[in-house]
Structure formats: structure tokens, C-alpha cells
């Protein structure tokens, strides 16, 4: 159904599905018309008769909310398995940031220097790292993608869609398009405690760790960023303001 959704607030006649397909045709061209019904992960046999799978469980959350701890505990369950390092290396991987970054060619690290966008990661290189061979041996297994940024990261949308008033889709639309019945677990925390924890752990706004941080600098920066958000809401939609790119990096995530 998400392929039929039309965002009324964008300056475009394109549906969400049309936007997604145009942006990620390499993904949708490799997906089957139907997944194998007797597997708990989203699995299929591709054109080369290779067995492929996508995760059926996503752990989306905010930084400093315990996503790593929850992911570890989830994968203790005998029917929940993580993605893997590569087709030949079964080392477990919690997060790959493919849907939010690799798919559209965005840096995996906000502090990448120089900040040149990396090339898009081809979908065919990603699906072989899902750990499908374990699922082939046990169809009850569910692959878990523990990428927290699925909850909040739509960075770069304005560069890709300069004529749109707001993002033409959310990551929820994207996941629903590729795996309609996936289970999505969102982990949250008291917003003020979470933001302070992240502020101290990463860096002050978008600046490096060496900068001075204190309760007062935290208070001042939060007030400044909240003011930006409130000003945006005076003339723009909630969706536009939530995904605006003019906030300090870490504080934008919090908002």
C-alpha cells in the first residue's frame, strides 16, 4: 500500500512509490514479486538461483538509548540472528546503515574529512551480507537489522529533492516497500537525559570533542536549537522541520 501513498505537502505529482523506485531501482529490480511464504525472514531465489534474504526485524532507536544492549539480548534468542560481515565471513554485524546512507551514497560518519559523498552501495553487494545461508538451513530464523539511524536519519533529502517542500518519504515508507510485514522495534529514553548523555559522549553540536562542554553550554545550545525549530514551525510543516538540516548535528537528532 505504501507504493500508492501520495504526500500532499510536496510540490510534485509523484507518489512515494515512484520516488522510491526512481531513487533505488537497483533495489526493487532485484526483489521478487513475492517472498517465500514459509520463511520467517523475507527470502527468495534470485535469477541466478541464489538464495537471498532480507531482515524481518529492525531495531530502530536513538543514540544512547541502549540499542546495542537490546540488540545483544534479542540475538540471544535462538530464532533471531544478526546480519554478517560478508558472504564468507559469519562475524555478526549489528548495523550497516545501508537504507539510510549507503543506499543513497552518504558518509557513514558525520565527521568524515574531507566530506565527499561516497558512491552509492549497490544493493547486490548488500544482500549477500544478510546471512541467508543460515536461514536456508532453518526457515524459522528471523534476521535482525539493528541500525538505529532508521528512526531518524533522512539526511541529504533536500539535495536530492530541491523542489520538494518536505521529504517525499520516510524510512518507514522505505522499509514497508521492501518488506511490508517487517517488525520494527523502536527504543527511546527520557529525551532530556538522553540528549545530555549524547552531548557528553559525542561532541558539542557538530564540533569536535576537544571543545569545552558544561551544563551551561548544553543549556545554551539546546535553547538555540529549539528556537530554530520553533521558528521553522511558524511557516513550515512538522515533517519539514523535523528533517531540516540547519540544526547542530547531535541536537538535530534529538529534536
Amino acid at each position: 500500500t505504501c507504493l500508492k501513498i501520495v504526500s500532499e505537502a510536496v510540490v510534485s505529482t509523484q507518489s512515494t512509490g515512484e520516488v522510491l523506485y526512481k531513487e533505488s531501482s537497483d533495489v526493487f529490480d532485484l526483489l521478487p514479486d513475492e517472498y517465500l511464504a514459509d520463511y520467517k525472514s523475507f527470502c527468495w531465489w534470485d535469477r541466478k538461483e541464489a538464495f537471498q534474504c532480507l531482515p524481518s526485524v529492525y531495531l530502530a532507536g536513538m543514540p544512547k538509548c541502549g540499542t546495542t544492549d537490546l540488540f545483544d539480548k534479542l540475538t540471544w534468542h535462538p530464532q533471531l540472528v544478526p546480519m554478517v560481515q560478508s558472504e564468507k565471513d559469519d562475524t555478526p554485524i549489528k548495523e550497516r546503515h545501508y537504507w539510510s546512507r549507503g543506499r543513497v551514497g552518504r558518509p557513514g560518519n558525520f565527521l568524515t574529512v574531507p566530506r565527499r559523498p561516497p558512491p552509492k552501495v549497490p544493493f547486490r553487494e548488500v544482500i549477500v551480507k544478510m546471512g541467508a545461508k543460515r536461514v536456508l538451513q532453518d526457515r524459522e530464523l528471523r534476521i535482525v537489522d539493528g541500525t538505529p539511524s532508521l528512526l531518524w536519519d533522512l539526511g541529504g533529502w533536500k539535495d536530492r529533492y530541491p523542489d520538494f517542500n518536505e521529504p517525499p518519504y520516510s524510512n518507514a515508507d522505505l522499509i514497508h516497500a521492501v518488506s511490508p510485514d517487517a517488525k520494527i522495534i523502536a527504543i527511546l529514553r527520557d529525551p532530556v537525559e538522553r540528549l545530555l548523555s549524547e552531548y557528553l559522549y559525542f561532541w558539542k553540536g557538530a564540533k569536535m570533542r576537544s571543545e569545552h562542554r558544561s551544563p551551561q553550554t548544553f543549556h545554551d545550545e539546546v535553547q538555540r536549537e529549539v528556537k530554530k525549530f520553533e521558528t521553522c514551525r511558524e511557516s513550515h510543516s512538522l515533517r519539514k522541520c523535523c528533517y531540516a538540516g540547519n540544526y547542530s548535528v547531535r541536537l538535530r537528532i534529538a529534536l
Side-chain angles (χ1 to χ4, degrees):
T1 56
C2 87
L3 297 181
K4 304 295 184 181
I5 295 174
V6 177
S7 178
E8 297 179 351
V10 299
V11 183
S12 173
T13 58
Q14 290 181 301
S15 71
T16 301
E18 290 170 335
V19 171
L20 287 173
Y21 181 80
K22 183 177 180 180
E23 186 175 84
S24 300
S25 59
D26 64 315
V27 173
F28 294 98
D29 286 345
L30 290 182
L31 294 179
D33 293 333
E34 293 183 355
Y35 293 111
L36 299 173
D38 49 349
Y39 286 84
K40 293 295 180 65
S41 293
F42 293 99
C43 302
W44 72 100
W45 294 95
D46 68 17
R47 298 183 184 94
K48 297 181 179 180
E49 295 300 314
F51 186 73
Q52 309 289 4
C53 292
L54 288 177
S56 58
V57 178
Y58 291 87
L59 175 57
M62 301 300 291
K64 309 307 292 178
C65 281
T67 57
T68 300
D69 183 65
L70 179 58
F71 178 83
D72 289 342
K73 288 180 170 59
L74 285 173
T75 52
W76 289 351
H77 193 286
Q79 293 179 349
L80 297 176
V81 294
M83 300 176 292
V84 296
Q85 184 70 41
S86 69
E87 190 173 11
K88 298 180 180 179
D89 183 351
D90 288 338
T91 302
I93 293 292
K94 175 193 173 221
E95 51 196 73
R96 185 157 274 127
H97 297 277
Y98 170 73
W99 299 112
S100 56
R101 298 175 191 172
R103 179 183 62 88
V104 292
R106 290 185 51 238
N109 188 327
F110 288 111
L111 293 181
T112 299
V113 178
R115 297 196 61 186
R116 297 194 197 97
K120 294 175 63 173
V121 178
F123 184 59
R124 64 179 182 276
E125 296 180 6
V126 175
I127 55 176
V128 298
K129 300 177 181 179
M130 295 298 177
K133 65 182 180 180
R134 294 170 299 173
V135 179
L136 181 59
Q137 298 168 357
D138 184 352
R139 62 188 61 193
E140 294 297 313
L141 295 181
R142 291 182 178 272
I143 300 172
V144 183
D145 183 339
T147 303
S149 63
L150 279 174
L151 186 65
W152 51 266
D153 191 0
L154 271 181
W157 71 267
K158 191 62 178 176
D159 294 331
R160 299 195 298 277
Y161 302 102
D163 296 331
F164 282 54
N165 294 327
E166 62 179 44
Y169 64 84
S170 69
N171 287 333
D173 292 322
L174 173 61
I175 295 303
H176 184 67
V178 299
S179 46
D181 298 315
K183 311 297 182 184
I184 301 178
I185 302 170
I187 179 169
L188 306 172
R189 179 181 174 184
D190 177 275
V192 177
E193 291 182 1
R194 194 214 64 79
L195 177 56
L196 178 59
S197 175
E198 184 183 32
Y199 181 80
L200 296 175
Y201 182 80
F202 288 101
W203 55 82
K204 185 176 67 174
K207 301 176 184 177
M208 298 300 291
R209 294 169 184 257
S210 59
E211 300 253 345
H212 173 68
R213 289 164 291 180
S214 70
Q216 187 61 49
T217 60
F218 174 74
H219 175 76
D220 293 342
E221 290 209 28
V222 170
Q223 281 199 320
R224 186 188 66 231
E225 300 306 308
V226 170
K227 180 62 177 177
K228 288 182 184 178
F229 184 79
E230 292 174 342
T231 300
C232 179
R233 287 292 289 123
E234 291 175 1
S235 54
H236 297 288
S237 70
L238 177 62
R239 182 164 172 161
K240 164 68 178 291
C241 296
C242 284
Y243 290 113
N246 63 325
Y247 308 112
S248 296
V249 173
R250 308 312 307 185
L251 295 172
R252 174 181 60 77
I253 293 172
L255 293 177

